[in-house]
Each structure stands twice: as structure tokens, then as C-alpha cells.
Amino acid sequence: MSDLNSAIINALENLKGKEIVTLDVSQLTDVMDTLIIASGTSSRHTRSLAENLVEETKKSGFRALGI
């Protein structure tokens, strides 16, 4: 697992993201190698997950291209 994937999964798990799934899509598209999907318990929780994800990946040296 790459450092970016680990940082993303850790950020989601830290705020209790639900049903985290990692899919290898490298054979399906040139845009990305991995798709990580998670859900939250409410729209507020989901928004918080996204904000925390951006902050934690920045700390790890990665930059979000879009949310």
C-alpha cells in the first residue's frame, strides 16, 4: 500500500469513517490507481471526514487536487 493510501485510510479511521473500501482501478483508468470510498453517519460527519482527510494528507506532504 502506498504512503498516500495509508495516510488517507488513517485519516478516515481516526474520525470513525464507516465502510472504508479500497479498490484497485489501475487497469480501468489512467486517471487514478486506487479509489478509496468511505461513508459517514451524517452530512456533517462526512464533511468532517473530508476536511480531516485534506489536513492529514497535507501533513504527510500530499496535496488535494479536488474535493
Side-chain angles (χ1 to χ4, degrees):
M1 185 178 312
S2 75
D3 292 339
L4 177 57
N5 290 352
S6 296
I8 291 169
I9 291 170
N10 287 336
L12 292 170
E13 288 176 342
N14 286 343
L15 286 185
K16 310 293 186 212
K18 304 288 183 187
E19 302 172 12
I20 301 169
V21 178
T22 304
L23 302 172
D24 179 7
V25 295
S26 59
Q27 300 298 316
L28 303 174
T29 180
D30 294 331
V31 178
M32 65 183 118
D33 293 331
T34 305
L35 180 63
I36 299 174
I37 303 170
S39 60
T41 56
S42 66
S43 59
R44 179 177 283 176
H45 183 221
T46 306
R47 198 171 323 117
S48 178
L49 286 170
E51 291 170 1
N52 184 57
L53 179 61
V54 171
E55 289 177 24
E56 292 300 317
T57 53
K58 277 185 185 177
K59 289 179 188 175
S60 297
F62 300 100
R63 160 178 97 87
L65 299 176
I67 300 173

